[in-house]
């Protein structure tokens, strides 16, 4: 049986490799980071995720292998990062291009090259096809290109890998059906076959849709604050309407997807993306809004020293250890710009020290502060909410039921 070589063993590649192996496929996971590969070989997971350990154990007993080398194979799944350039907001395809080149060095004729990484619409035509052709390969004969964007949500990845619908973008239906066959080994959701550009675009607009909807909730929070209305009560009532489903306001939008992908559209269609750009700006303004709420509370209670403020939560959302683009990091950056140094930080999911004044122990953290700002609704704080009742609390995630808590 031919193997599937999964390239990039991060948040998407690793669970994908494991679930393929669980379904009985021969899988080798490849990553250029040798310490990550060694950890996996030693049986240690590189991030925490519900159900991932079980999946890992099953994949191990089914013979999954990990390596820093690209394998000779018929099928490759590329799940490497696709960062964006901060200034231009455009996607930087360097890791995908480099992975494609390394695949071309070793692949068999007729190989199926599946790109799962999120890419901006047009990336395959603009960057990947020319690269393959430059190397003298004929697309459709030597190499078949596929874009199968992932859709799983951190915190519920294993479940969603099996149950979400998927998109397969291809140049021809025959290959599309083969890839559909591969994914249906573990995916019970509907698998839609389309062309590559539509697959690229649909992925990016899914995240943009969510960004816009979160921005609406955040704008409502600001409106309600001005008039001293309870935004959560208002959203709850509005959502009783059968065709209304407003999301929840919060301290900002983080993660490597929703806060990033809409920028690809803004970068590529600057004259056409008014709504999308405005939504991005609203969500990006939220850490600043939290900062102004902190200032209000400090003034009201005559607290002058910012080091009496503690931010609870560093990750970009609850019950994950991922800090990419997190609203708390955005907030700290803003504080630094305003020369407000010394704010205290705690997150039970972040085990290494990544910011100044970060505490590793919750009680020590509480002992140092007068104001707790809940930035992330980890189960840990929900379970320990009694411990912060004697503090001033700014609850940006609406988890506190006691009426003294300040809200967004
Ligand atoms: N957030 C709010 N209010 C809400 C919901 C979320 O402020 O009502 C915030 C979260 O706190 C977080 C951010 O938005 O900071 C994003 O979190 P999320 O849970 O909405 O989404 P992600 O970034 O973890 O995952 C998204 C998902 N996409 C969609 O829901 C359309 C996931 O399915 C994708 O696979 C993933 O992006 C990706 O990789 O593209």
């Amino acid at each position: 049986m031919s193997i599937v070589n999964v390239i990039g063993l991060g948040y998407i590649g690793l669970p994908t490799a494991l679930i393929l192996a669980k379904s009985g496929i021969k899988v080798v996971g490849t990553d250029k980071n040798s310490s990550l590969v060694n950890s996996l070989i030693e049986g240690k997971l590189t991030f925490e995720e519900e159900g991932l350990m079980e999946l890992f154990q099953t994949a191990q007993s089914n013979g999954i292998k990990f390596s820093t080398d690209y394998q000779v194979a018929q099928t490759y799944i590329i799940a490497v990062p696709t960062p964006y350039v901060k200034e231009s907001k455009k996607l930087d395809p360097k890791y995908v291009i480099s992975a494609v080149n390394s695949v071309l060095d070793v692949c068999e004729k007729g190989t199926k090259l599946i790109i799962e990484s999120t890419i901006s619409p047009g990336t395959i035509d603009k960057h990947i096809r020319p690269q393959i052709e430059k190397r003298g390969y004929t697309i459709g004969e030597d190499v078949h290109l596929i874009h199968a964007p992932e859709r799983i949500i951190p915190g519920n990845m294993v479940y969603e890998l099996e149950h979400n619908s998927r998109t397969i973008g291809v140049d021809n239906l025959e290959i599309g059906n083969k890839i559909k066959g591969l994914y249906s080994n573990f995916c019970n959701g509907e698998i839609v076959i389309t062309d590559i550009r539509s697959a690229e675009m649909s992925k990016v607009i899914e995240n943009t849709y969510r960004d816009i909807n979160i921005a609406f909730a955040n704008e409502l929070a600001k409106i309600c604050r001005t008039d001293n209305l309870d935004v959560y009560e208002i959203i709850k009532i509005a959502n009783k309407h059968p065709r209304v489903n407003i999301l929840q306001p919060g301290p900002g939008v983080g993660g490597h997807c929703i806060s990033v992908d809409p920028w690809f559209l803004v970068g590529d269609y600057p004259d056409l993306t008014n709504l999308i750009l405005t939504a991005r700006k609203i969500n990006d303004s939220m850490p600043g809004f939290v900062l102004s709420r902190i200032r209000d509370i400090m003034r009201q209670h005559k607290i002058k020293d910012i080091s009496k403020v503690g931010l609870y939560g560093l990750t970009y959302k609850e019950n994950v250890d991922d800090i990419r683009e997190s609203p708390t990091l955005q907030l700290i950056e803003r504080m630094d710009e305003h020369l407000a140094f010394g704010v205290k930080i705690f997150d039970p999911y972040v085990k290494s020290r990544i910011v100044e004044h970060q505490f590793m122990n919750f009680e020590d953290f509480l002992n140092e502060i007068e104001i707790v700002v809940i930035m992330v609704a980890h189960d840990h704080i929900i379970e320990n909410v009694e411990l912060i009742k004697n503090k001033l609390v700014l609850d940006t995630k609406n988890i506190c039921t006691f009426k003294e808590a300040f809200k967004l």
Side-chain angles (χ1 to χ4, degrees), residues 361-381:
N361 178 292
F362 187 45
E363 273 175 27
D364 294 347
F365 166 72
L366 290 183
N367 286 339
E368 295 284 322
I369 57 176
E370 288 176 46
I371 303 178
V372 186
V373 184
I374 300 175
M375 295 291 287
V376 184
H378 289 311
D379 287 349
H380 167 267
I381 190 72

Side-chain angles (χ1 to χ4, degrees), residues 56-327:
F56 189 31
Q57 284 159 352
T58 316
Q60 280 174 313
S61 44
N62 282 5
I64 190 167
K65 294 206 164 55
F66 301 103
S67 168
T68 51
D69 295 327
Y70 284 67
Q71 309 293 308
V72 177
Q74 267 293 311
T75 310
Y76 296 86
I77 296 182
I78 295 183
V80 295
T82 42
Y84 77 107
V85 185
K86 261 211 159 126
E87 299 71 43
S88 67
K89 310 290 190 196
K90 293 201 180 199
L91 176 112
D92 181 352
K94 65 179 173 201
Y95 298 122
V96 184
I97 292 176
S98 137
V100 167
N101 269 321
S102 304
V103 165
L104 295 179
D105 289 341
V106 293
C107 67
E108 293 170 351
K109 192 177 164 67
T111 211
K112 293 178 281 304
L113 206 169
I114 306 169
I115 297 175
E116 281 212 14
S117 310
T118 303
I119 47 183
S120 59
T123 298
I124 291 196
D125 281 354
K126 208 158 37 186
H127 298 287
I128 310 298
R129 287 187 203 274
Q131 191 62 37
I132 296 173
E133 281 157 1
K134 207 166 83 191
R135 297 273 309 258
Y137 292 89
T138 307
I139 296 171
E141 279 178 32
D142 301 321
V143 178
H144 298 284
L145 264 178
I146 300 105
H147 181 41
E150 57 79 20
R151 268 182 179 158
I152 52 178
I153 196 150
N156 198 26
M157 285 177 154
V158 178
Y159 177 88
E160 291 205 351
L161 262 176
E162 284 182 46
H163 294 91
N164 283 0
S165 162
R166 293 202 68 121
T167 316
I168 310 276
V170 274
D171 292 333
N172 82 63
L173 194 60
E174 193 193 326
I175 294 295
N177 279 321
K178 283 195 176 145
I179 302 301
K180 186 172 173 173
L182 173 69
Y183 280 94
S184 43
N185 280 302
F186 64 85
C187 169
N188 304 322
E190 186 187 354
I191 301 177
V192 178
I193 300 175
T194 184
D195 62 276
I196 289 182
R197 290 175 65 221
S198 301
E200 290 173 323
M201 183 59 103
S202 53
K203 162 70 195 191
V204 169
I205 65 125
E206 287 164 16
N207 284 342
T208 304
Y209 168 87
R210 193 153 169 86
D211 198 40
I212 291 172
N213 281 282
I214 298 170
F216 180 59
N218 283 334
E219 187 155 282
L220 291 181
K222 289 181 173 177
I223 293 171
C224 290
R225 171 58 43 215
T226 313
D227 266 336
N228 213 10
L229 288 163
D230 180 346
V231 67
Y232 303 103
E233 173 75 0
I234 289 163
I235 290 176
K236 196 165 82 192
I237 296 167
N239 281 348
K240 304 250 182 239
H241 185 291
R243 281 171 297 283
V244 175
N245 184 16
I246 304 172
L247 297 179
Q248 293 300 304
V253 170
H256 185 58
C257 315
I258 294 179
S259 64
V260 175
D261 296 1
W263 284 123
F264 299 158
L265 293 174
V266 175
D268 287 345
Y269 307 94
D271 298 334
L272 301 172
T273 42
N274 301 324
L275 177 64
I276 297 169
L277 176 61
T278 304
R280 262 301 56 243
K281 284 185 177 164
I282 293 169
N283 289 337
D284 272 355
S285 76
M286 292 314 286
F289 185 66
V290 175
L291 192 54
S292 65
R293 294 288 295 134
I294 297 173
R295 197 181 48 212
D296 292 345
I297 299 166
M298 287 176 74
R299 273 203 195 122
Q300 223 176 318
H301 292 84
K302 302 199 172 18
I303 297 170
K304 294 216 164 59
D305 184 359
I306 191 80
S307 68
K308 290 287 159 203
V309 177
L311 305 179
Y312 176 93
L314 250 181
T315 62
Y316 85 90
K317 68 173 187 181
E318 63 282 358
N319 305 327
V320 299
D321 57 9
D322 188 340
I323 57 162
R324 290 178 296 175
E325 322 288 331
S326 99

